[in-house]
Amino acid sequence: MHLKLPNKIIDSLRRMLPAFIVATIVTFTVGIYYAILNSPPDYLQGDSMRIMYVHVPAAWLALSSYSFLALSCIAWFIFRNPIFNLFAKSIAPIGATFTLIALVTGSIWGKPTWGTWWAWDARLTSMLILFFLYIAYIMTWQTITNKDLAAKISAALGIIGFINIPIIKFSVDWWNTLHQPATISKLSAPSIHISMLTPLMLMTFAYVLFLITLFLIRYKIEILDQKILRVSS
Amino acid sequence: MSKKVKKRLITILLSSLVLIIATLLITMNLKDNIIYFYSPTELQGASIDKKNIIRVGGLVKEDSYEYNDKTKIYSFIITDNSNDVDVEFVGIMPNLFAENKGVVVEGLAIDKKKITAIKVLAKHDENYMPPEVIDALKKEGQWQEK
Protein backbone atom coordinates (compact mmCIF):
# COMPACT_ATOMS: atom_id res chain seq x y z
CA MET A 1 0.00 0.00 0.00
CA HIS A 2 1.27 3.43 -0.81
CA LEU A 3 -0.10 6.73 0.37
CA LYS A 4 -0.04 9.06 -2.59
CA LEU A 5 -1.96 11.94 -1.00
CA PRO A 6 0.36 12.80 1.94
CA ASN A 7 3.34 12.65 -0.40
CA LYS A 8 1.59 14.93 -2.85
CA ILE A 9 0.77 17.44 -0.10
CA ILE A 10 4.30 17.40 1.23
CA ASP A 11 5.76 17.77 -2.28
CA SER A 12 3.75 20.88 -2.94
CA LEU A 13 4.55 22.27 0.53
CA ARG A 14 8.24 21.63 -0.13
CA ARG A 15 8.08 23.75 -3.23
CA MET A 16 6.85 26.52 -0.93
CA LEU A 17 9.78 26.12 1.46
CA PRO A 18 11.38 29.51 0.61
CA ALA A 19 8.02 31.19 1.23
CA PHE A 20 7.78 29.46 4.63
CA ILE A 21 11.27 30.62 5.55
CA VAL A 22 10.46 34.24 4.66
CA ALA A 23 7.10 34.09 6.45
CA THR A 24 8.79 32.66 9.57
CA ILE A 25 11.35 35.47 9.68
CA VAL A 26 8.71 38.16 9.09
CA THR A 27 6.27 36.90 11.76
CA PHE A 28 9.08 36.43 14.27
CA THR A 29 10.21 40.01 13.66
CA VAL A 30 6.70 41.39 14.14
CA GLY A 31 6.05 39.05 17.08
CA ILE A 32 9.27 39.98 18.89
CA TYR A 33 8.58 43.68 18.25
CA TYR A 34 5.18 43.31 19.93
CA ALA A 35 6.53 41.07 22.70
CA ILE A 36 9.40 43.35 23.72
CA LEU A 37 8.49 46.88 22.65
CA ASN A 38 4.80 47.14 21.90
CA SER A 39 3.15 45.51 24.91
CA PRO A 40 2.71 46.52 28.54
CA PRO A 41 4.52 44.89 31.48
CA ASP A 42 2.46 42.76 33.86
CA TYR A 43 0.98 44.53 36.90
CA LEU A 44 2.53 41.96 39.20
CA GLN A 45 5.53 40.44 37.47
CA GLY A 46 6.71 43.45 35.49
CA ASP A 47 8.88 42.79 32.47
CA SER A 48 9.87 39.25 33.45
CA MET A 49 6.42 38.15 32.29
CA ARG A 50 7.58 38.76 28.69
CA ILE A 51 9.40 35.40 28.86
CA MET A 52 5.91 33.95 28.46
CA TYR A 53 5.95 34.96 24.78
CA VAL A 54 8.74 32.48 24.04
CA HIS A 55 7.89 29.97 26.77
CA VAL A 56 4.19 29.26 26.16
CA PRO A 57 4.29 28.73 22.35
CA ALA A 58 7.31 26.45 22.76
CA ALA A 59 5.44 24.36 25.33
CA TRP A 60 2.29 24.20 23.18
CA LEU A 61 4.24 23.01 20.17
CA ALA A 62 6.25 20.54 22.25
CA LEU A 63 2.94 18.86 23.16
CA SER A 64 1.48 19.13 19.64
CA SER A 65 4.64 17.67 18.10
CA TYR A 66 4.53 14.69 20.42
CA SER A 67 0.85 14.12 19.63
CA PHE A 68 1.73 14.14 15.93
CA LEU A 69 4.60 11.71 16.60
CA ALA A 70 2.37 9.35 18.59
CA LEU A 71 -0.45 9.46 16.02
CA SER A 72 2.11 8.67 13.29
CA CYS A 73 3.31 5.70 15.36
CA ILE A 74 -0.28 4.46 15.73
CA ALA A 75 -0.88 4.89 11.99
CA TRP A 76 2.32 2.97 11.26
CA PHE A 77 1.30 0.18 13.62
CA ILE A 78 -2.06 -0.21 11.86
CA PHE A 79 -1.16 0.38 8.21
CA ARG A 80 2.56 -0.54 8.22
CA ASN A 81 3.32 2.17 5.72
CA PRO A 82 6.92 3.43 6.19
CA ILE A 83 5.84 6.99 5.42
CA PHE A 84 4.44 7.27 8.98
CA ASN A 85 7.83 6.38 10.44
CA LEU A 86 9.35 9.16 8.36
CA PHE A 87 6.77 11.59 9.80
CA ALA A 88 7.60 10.56 13.36
CA LYS A 89 11.36 10.55 12.74
CA SER A 90 11.18 14.01 11.18
CA ILE A 91 9.21 15.62 14.01
CA ALA A 92 11.12 14.01 16.92
CA PRO A 93 14.23 16.26 17.08
CA ILE A 94 12.07 19.35 16.45
CA GLY A 95 9.72 18.46 19.30
CA ALA A 96 12.68 17.70 21.56
CA THR A 97 14.12 21.15 20.82
CA PHE A 98 10.83 22.91 21.59
CA THR A 99 10.59 20.95 24.85
CA LEU A 100 14.10 22.05 25.76
CA ILE A 101 13.24 25.67 24.94
CA ALA A 102 10.14 25.45 27.17
CA LEU A 103 12.17 23.91 30.02
CA VAL A 104 15.01 26.43 29.82
CA THR A 105 12.85 29.55 29.41
CA GLY A 106 10.55 28.25 32.16
CA SER A 107 13.54 27.94 34.43
CA ILE A 108 14.68 31.49 33.61
CA TRP A 109 11.14 32.72 34.29
CA GLY A 110 10.88 30.74 37.51
CA LYS A 111 13.87 32.35 39.18
CA PRO A 112 12.55 35.95 39.31
CA THR A 113 8.88 35.03 39.88
CA TRP A 114 8.81 31.91 42.06
CA GLY A 115 12.28 32.33 43.48
CA THR A 116 13.64 29.03 42.23
CA TRP A 117 15.09 27.68 38.97
CA TRP A 118 13.42 24.31 39.31
CA ALA A 119 10.76 22.55 41.36
CA TRP A 120 9.82 18.89 41.23
CA ASP A 121 6.15 19.63 40.78
CA ALA A 122 3.91 17.60 38.48
CA ARG A 123 3.98 20.02 35.53
CA LEU A 124 7.73 20.52 35.44
CA THR A 125 8.51 16.85 36.04
CA SER A 126 6.11 15.57 33.37
CA MET A 127 7.59 18.08 30.92
CA LEU A 128 11.08 16.76 31.69
CA ILE A 129 9.77 13.23 31.07
CA LEU A 130 8.47 14.43 27.67
CA PHE A 131 12.00 15.55 26.81
CA PHE A 132 13.38 12.12 27.77
CA LEU A 133 10.65 10.42 25.69
CA TYR A 134 11.75 12.36 22.62
CA ILE A 135 15.41 11.50 23.29
CA ALA A 136 14.53 7.82 23.79
CA TYR A 137 12.59 7.78 20.51
CA ILE A 138 15.50 9.31 18.59
CA MET A 139 18.02 6.97 20.23
CA THR A 140 16.01 3.86 19.36
CA TRP A 141 16.42 4.61 15.67
CA GLN A 142 20.10 5.42 16.09
CA THR A 143 21.17 2.48 18.21
CA ILE A 144 19.13 -0.42 16.79
CA THR A 145 20.67 -1.36 13.45
CA ASN A 146 17.92 -3.77 12.41
CA LYS A 147 15.45 -1.32 10.83
CA ASP A 148 12.38 -3.57 11.21
CA LEU A 149 13.09 -4.03 14.89
CA ALA A 150 13.82 -0.32 15.34
CA ALA A 151 10.48 0.52 13.70
CA LYS A 152 8.59 -1.76 16.09
CA ILE A 153 10.34 -0.64 19.28
CA SER A 154 10.23 3.06 18.45
CA ALA A 155 6.53 2.85 17.54
CA ALA A 156 5.75 1.09 20.83
CA LEU A 157 7.73 3.73 22.71
CA GLY A 158 6.02 6.57 20.88
CA ILE A 159 2.55 5.18 21.58
CA ILE A 160 3.18 4.43 25.27
CA GLY A 161 4.61 7.92 25.76
CA PHE A 162 1.35 9.40 24.45
CA ILE A 163 -0.15 8.90 27.92
CA ASN A 164 2.17 11.63 29.19
CA ILE A 165 0.48 14.31 27.05
CA PRO A 166 -2.85 14.51 28.98
CA ILE A 167 -0.84 14.20 32.20
CA ILE A 168 1.18 17.31 31.28
CA LYS A 169 -1.93 19.17 30.14
CA PHE A 170 -4.01 18.48 33.25
CA SER A 171 -1.21 18.22 35.85
CA VAL A 172 -1.91 21.78 37.00
CA ASP A 173 -5.60 20.97 37.56
CA TRP A 174 -5.26 17.50 39.09
CA TRP A 175 -2.53 18.16 41.62
CA ASN A 176 -1.16 21.01 43.70
CA THR A 177 1.65 22.42 41.61
CA LEU A 178 3.88 25.45 41.79
CA HIS A 179 3.10 26.06 38.12
CA GLN A 180 -0.04 28.13 37.58
CA PRO A 181 -3.00 26.69 35.63
CA ALA A 182 -3.63 27.42 31.95
CA THR A 183 -4.46 31.00 30.94
CA ILE A 184 -5.85 30.44 27.47
CA SER A 185 -7.92 27.27 27.51
CA LYS A 186 -10.29 28.58 30.15
CA LEU A 187 -13.83 29.06 28.95
CA SER A 188 -14.59 31.69 31.57
CA ALA A 189 -13.58 35.36 31.43
CA PRO A 190 -10.28 36.03 29.65
CA SER A 191 -7.45 36.12 32.16
CA ILE A 192 -5.01 37.81 29.83
CA HIS A 193 -5.42 41.33 28.50
CA ILE A 194 -5.79 41.77 24.73
CA SER A 195 -2.59 43.86 24.59
CA MET A 196 -0.71 40.79 25.85
CA LEU A 197 -2.74 38.24 23.95
CA THR A 198 -1.74 39.86 20.63
CA PRO A 199 2.04 39.29 21.00
CA LEU A 200 1.36 35.80 22.38
CA MET A 201 -0.72 34.86 19.34
CA LEU A 202 1.78 36.43 16.92
CA MET A 203 4.63 34.50 18.53
CA THR A 204 2.59 31.29 18.42
CA PHE A 205 1.94 31.84 14.71
CA ALA A 206 5.67 32.43 14.15
CA TYR A 207 6.51 29.25 16.07
CA VAL A 208 4.04 27.24 13.97
CA LEU A 209 5.57 28.53 10.73
CA PHE A 210 9.03 27.74 12.11
CA LEU A 211 7.87 24.22 12.99
CA ILE A 212 6.50 23.60 9.48
CA THR A 213 9.70 24.93 7.90
CA LEU A 214 11.87 22.67 10.06
CA PHE A 215 9.60 19.70 9.43
CA LEU A 216 9.77 20.09 5.66
CA ILE A 217 13.55 20.27 5.78
CA ARG A 218 13.80 17.28 8.14
CA TYR A 219 11.38 15.23 6.03
CA LYS A 220 13.44 15.86 2.90
CA ILE A 221 16.54 14.63 4.75
CA GLU A 222 14.71 11.47 5.88
CA ILE A 223 13.60 10.74 2.29
CA LEU A 224 17.16 11.20 1.01
CA ASP A 225 18.41 8.95 3.82
CA GLN A 226 16.03 6.22 2.66
CA LYS A 227 17.21 6.55 -0.94
CA ILE A 228 20.87 6.30 0.10
CA LEU A 229 20.08 3.20 2.16
CA ARG A 230 18.29 1.60 -0.79
CA VAL A 231 21.16 2.33 -3.21
CA SER A 232 23.91 1.22 -0.86
CA SER A 233 22.25 -2.04 0.18
CA MET B 1 -10.30 -2.62 5.63
CA SER B 2 -8.30 -5.80 5.37
CA LYS B 3 -8.43 -8.44 8.08
CA LYS B 4 -4.90 -7.62 9.22
CA VAL B 5 -5.62 -3.93 9.60
CA LYS B 6 -8.76 -4.69 11.58
CA LYS B 7 -6.83 -6.97 13.89
CA ARG B 8 -4.16 -4.35 14.51
CA LEU B 9 -6.80 -1.70 15.12
CA ILE B 10 -8.38 -3.87 17.82
CA THR B 11 -4.94 -4.60 19.32
CA ILE B 12 -4.11 -0.93 19.58
CA LEU B 13 -7.50 0.00 21.04
CA LEU B 14 -7.30 -2.72 23.67
CA SER B 15 -3.73 -1.95 24.65
CA SER B 16 -4.52 1.77 24.86
CA LEU B 17 -7.38 0.97 27.20
CA VAL B 18 -5.10 -1.12 29.43
CA LEU B 19 -2.46 1.63 29.37
CA ILE B 20 -4.96 4.31 30.36
CA ILE B 21 -6.44 2.24 33.19
CA ALA B 22 -2.96 1.37 34.48
CA THR B 23 -1.91 5.02 34.42
CA LEU B 24 -5.08 6.12 36.17
CA LEU B 25 -4.55 3.53 38.92
CA ILE B 26 -0.91 4.53 39.38
CA THR B 27 -1.51 8.28 39.43
CA MET B 28 -4.48 7.99 41.76
CA ASN B 29 -2.54 5.87 44.23
CA LEU B 30 0.50 8.12 44.04
CA LYS B 31 -1.53 11.25 44.69
CA ASP B 32 0.26 12.02 47.95
CA ASN B 33 3.63 11.72 46.28
CA ILE B 34 2.73 13.72 43.20
CA ILE B 35 1.33 16.79 44.91
CA TYR B 36 3.99 19.43 45.29
CA PHE B 37 2.57 20.91 48.46
CA TYR B 38 -0.16 20.42 51.06
CA SER B 39 -2.85 23.01 51.57
CA PRO B 40 -3.29 23.94 55.26
CA THR B 41 -6.42 21.76 55.37
CA GLU B 42 -4.69 18.79 53.72
CA LEU B 43 -1.85 19.17 56.23
CA GLN B 44 -4.22 18.63 59.15
CA GLY B 45 -5.18 15.23 57.77
CA ALA B 46 -1.74 14.20 56.55
CA SER B 47 0.67 12.05 58.50
CA ILE B 48 3.85 14.07 58.71
CA ASP B 49 7.31 13.16 59.87
CA LYS B 50 8.88 16.06 61.75
CA LYS B 51 12.32 15.11 60.43
CA ASN B 52 11.28 15.31 56.79
CA ILE B 53 11.01 18.44 54.72
CA ILE B 54 7.44 19.20 53.64
CA ARG B 55 5.83 21.91 51.55
CA VAL B 56 2.72 23.86 52.38
CA GLY B 57 1.01 26.28 50.02
CA GLY B 58 -1.87 28.71 50.06
CA LEU B 59 -2.54 32.40 50.33
CA VAL B 60 -0.60 34.75 52.59
CA LYS B 61 -3.21 35.92 55.11
CA GLU B 62 -3.97 39.62 55.17
CA ASP B 63 -2.16 41.63 57.89
CA SER B 64 -0.17 38.60 58.99
CA TYR B 65 3.18 39.47 57.40
CA GLU B 66 5.76 40.72 59.87
CA TYR B 67 9.50 41.21 60.01
CA ASN B 68 11.45 41.25 63.23
CA ASP B 69 14.45 43.55 62.87
CA LYS B 70 16.39 42.04 65.77
CA THR B 71 15.97 38.37 65.06
CA LYS B 72 15.78 38.79 61.25
CA ILE B 73 12.79 36.48 61.25
CA TYR B 74 9.96 36.89 58.76
CA SER B 75 6.65 35.55 59.94
CA PHE B 76 3.33 35.18 58.18
CA ILE B 77 0.27 32.94 58.04
CA ILE B 78 -0.66 30.68 55.16
CA THR B 79 -4.37 30.18 54.77
CA ASP B 80 -6.82 28.36 52.52
CA ASN B 81 -9.71 30.21 54.19
CA SER B 82 -10.59 27.24 56.37
CA ASN B 83 -7.29 26.42 58.09
CA ASP B 84 -4.20 28.48 58.93
CA VAL B 85 -0.54 27.56 59.30
CA ASP B 86 2.04 29.85 60.94
CA VAL B 87 5.35 30.24 59.15
CA GLU B 88 8.70 31.53 60.35
CA PHE B 89 11.49 32.14 57.90
CA VAL B 90 15.03 33.52 57.82
CA GLY B 91 16.40 34.26 54.36
CA ILE B 92 15.59 36.04 51.14
CA MET B 93 11.97 36.61 50.24
CA PRO B 94 11.01 36.31 46.54
CA ASN B 95 10.06 39.59 44.84
CA LEU B 96 6.48 38.58 44.23
CA PHE B 97 5.81 37.68 47.85
CA ALA B 98 2.81 39.69 49.10
CA GLU B 99 -0.24 39.41 51.31
CA ASN B 100 -3.28 37.87 49.59
CA LYS B 101 -0.99 36.24 47.02
CA GLY B 102 -0.09 32.60 46.56
CA VAL B 103 2.93 31.15 48.33
CA VAL B 104 4.60 27.77 48.80
CA VAL B 105 6.96 27.23 51.72
CA GLU B 106 9.41 24.40 52.15
CA GLY B 107 10.56 23.47 55.62
CA LEU B 108 10.13 21.44 58.78
CA ALA B 109 6.83 21.16 60.55
CA ILE B 110 6.99 21.87 64.28
CA ASP B 111 3.40 20.73 64.47
CA LYS B 112 0.44 20.83 62.12
CA LYS B 113 -0.08 24.51 62.74
CA LYS B 114 3.50 25.79 62.60
CA ILE B 115 6.35 25.51 60.13
CA THR B 116 9.94 26.68 60.10
CA ALA B 117 10.57 27.48 56.47
CA ILE B 118 13.87 26.88 54.71
CA LYS B 119 12.67 28.25 51.41
CA VAL B 120 9.80 30.51 50.38
CA LEU B 121 8.48 30.36 46.82
CA ALA B 122 6.00 32.84 45.38
CA LYS B 123 3.19 31.26 43.40
CA HIS B 124 1.66 33.49 40.77
CA ASP B 125 -1.70 32.99 39.11
CA GLU B 126 -2.66 32.68 35.45
CA ASN B 127 -3.88 36.27 35.07
CA TYR B 128 -1.85 38.74 33.07
CA MET B 129 -2.86 42.41 33.02
CA PRO B 130 -1.18 45.74 32.33
CA PRO B 131 -0.87 47.99 35.43
CA GLU B 132 -3.19 50.65 33.92
CA VAL B 133 -5.98 48.11 33.44
CA ILE B 134 -5.70 47.02 37.06
CA ASP B 135 -5.87 50.66 38.18
CA ALA B 136 -8.94 51.26 36.03
CA LEU B 137 -10.64 48.12 37.31
CA LYS B 138 -9.87 49.10 40.91
CA LYS B 139 -11.32 52.55 40.31
CA GLU B 140 -14.53 51.02 39.05
CA GLY B 141 -14.50 48.63 41.96
CA GLN B 142 -14.48 45.62 39.67
CA TRP B 143 -11.12 44.22 40.73
CA GLN B 144 -11.29 41.75 43.58
CA GLU B 145 -8.15 41.10 45.55
CA LYS B 146 -8.33 37.43 46.32
Side-chain angles (χ1 to χ4, degrees):
Chain A
M1 189 177 83
H2 223 81
L3 287 186
K4 286 227 173 80
L5 189 65
N7 265 329
K8 228 178 182 177
I9 295 168
I10 282 169
D11 268 345
S12 50
L13 281 177
R14 227 155 56 190
R15 254 173 264 130
M16 285 156 65
L17 191 59
F20 272 111
I21 293 171
V22 174
T24 305
I25 295 168
V26 171
T27 33
F28 259 125
T29 314
V30 178
I32 289 169
Y33 165 70
Y34 267 90
I36 297 176
L37 298 170
N38 199 7
S39 60
D42 183 53
Y43 76 103
L44 198 63
Q45 299 180 38
D47 283 322
S48 65
M49 164 268 184
R50 293 178 199 278
I51 301 170
M52 179 185 73
Y53 302 131
V54 283
H55 172 76
V56 171
W60 279 343
L61 290 194
L63 297 194
S64 321
S65 299
Y66 197 90
S67 307
F68 178 73
L69 184 150
L71 290 174
S72 302
C73 287
I74 292 172
W76 177 81
F77 181 84
I78 296 169
F79 301 109
R80 298 294 157 113
N81 189 315
I83 193 176
F84 294 117
N85 276 335
L86 297 185
F87 285 170
K89 275 167 88 174
S90 306
I91 200 83
I94 304 169
T97 311
F98 281 131
T99 314
L100 195 61
I101 292 173
L103 285 169
V104 171
T105 54
S107 182
I108 296 170
W109 193 9
K111 188 62 189 169
T113 51
W114 298 337
T116 184
W117 297 103
W118 184 262
W120 291 104
D121 84 342
R123 170 57 73 80
L124 277 65
T125 309
S126 55
M127 204 61 188
L128 187 65
I129 291 171
L130 180 70
F131 181 66
F132 292 147
L133 282 170
Y134 274 122
I135 298 299
Y137 183 87
I138 296 166
M139 278 177 65
T140 323
W141 281 105
Q142 286 186 349
T143 49
I144 300 170
T145 41
N146 180 340
K147 291 299 160 203
D148 288 335
L149 189 66
K152 277 175 194 153
I153 294 177
S154 66
L157 190 78
I159 297 166
I160 293 169
F162 205 7
I163 198 77
N164 193 32
I165 296 298
I167 292 180
I168 297 175
K169 177 80 187 73
F170 296 110
S171 55
V172 287
D173 305 321
W174 290 341
W175 301 295
N176 296 341
T177 54
L178 186 59
H179 195 286
Q180 68 283 6
T183 298
I184 301 297
S185 64
K186 281 202 307 198
L187 295 170
S188 54
S191 50
I192 181 168
H193 193 259
I194 184 77
S195 59
M196 295 161 165
L197 189 63
T198 311
L200 180 60
M201 286 302 134
L202 281 169
M203 286 300 279
T204 306
F205 189 49
Y207 264 84
V208 171
L209 287 170
F210 188 41
L211 177 104
I212 296 171
T213 309
L214 289 177
F215 180 79
L216 293 174
I217 295 169
R218 285 275 316 143
Y219 188 73
K220 193 175 185 176
I221 294 168
E222 289 297 336
I223 295 271
L224 292 175
D225 234 24
Q226 294 290 311
K227 282 186 181 156
I228 292 166
L229 273 179
R230 225 172 289 149
V231 172
S232 60
S233 62
Chain B
M1 238 193 294
S2 73
K3 225 176 186 178
K4 253 185 178 170
V5 167
K6 220 177 214 168
K7 211 174 129 191
R8 287 184 199 132
L9 198 64
I10 293 165
T11 314
I12 202 123
L13 284 176
L14 282 179
S15 29
S16 308
L17 198 68
V18 172
L19 186 66
I20 290 166
I21 292 169
T23 314
L24 276 178
L25 286 175
I26 293 169
T27 48
M28 268 163 19
N29 281 304
L30 284 178
K31 196 175 186 296
D32 282 349
N33 296 310
I34 291 172
I35 59 162
Y36 188 63
F37 58 85
Y38 294 111
S39 71
T41 306
E42 282 166 353
L43 184 70
Q44 307 313 312
S47 58
I48 47 163
D49 187 342
K50 281 169 193 167
K51 280 177 230 147
N52 285 344
I53 285 176
I54 58 155
R55 296 190 201 91
V56 177
L59 289 177
V60 181
K61 199 171 188 173
E62 206 167 347
D63 300 326
S64 72
Y65 181 39
E66 274 166 26
Y67 178 62
N68 188 322
D69 258 331
K70 275 183 202 149
T71 55
K72 309 278 179 213
I73 294 174
Y74 293 98
S75 62
F76 54 92
I77 296 169
I78 294 181
T79 182
D80 58 5
N81 294 329
S82 44
N83 276 290
D84 291 356
V85 173
D86 292 332
V87 183
E88 283 193 347
F89 173 62
V90 179
I92 302 163
M93 279 287 185
N95 293 335
L96 291 186
F97 180 90
E99 287 178 356
N100 289 317
K101 295 285 175 201
V103 71
V104 176
V105 300
E106 196 175 288
L108 295 167
I110 294 163
D111 55 52
K112 287 188 174 180
K113 286 282 181 191
K114 199 169 164 73
I115 281 188
T116 312
I118 299 163
K119 216 173 179 184
V120 173
L121 304 172
K123 190 169 152 50
H124 68 84
D125 60 19
E126 69 279 24
N127 300 309
Y128 304 98
M129 291 288 161
E132 308 89 73
V133 176
I134 295 295
D135 288 345
L137 285 173
K138 273 181 184 162
K139 228 178 251 170
E140 289 167 30
Q142 286 192 24
W143 180 257
Q144 304 256 313
E145 285 279 356
K146 273 177 265 175

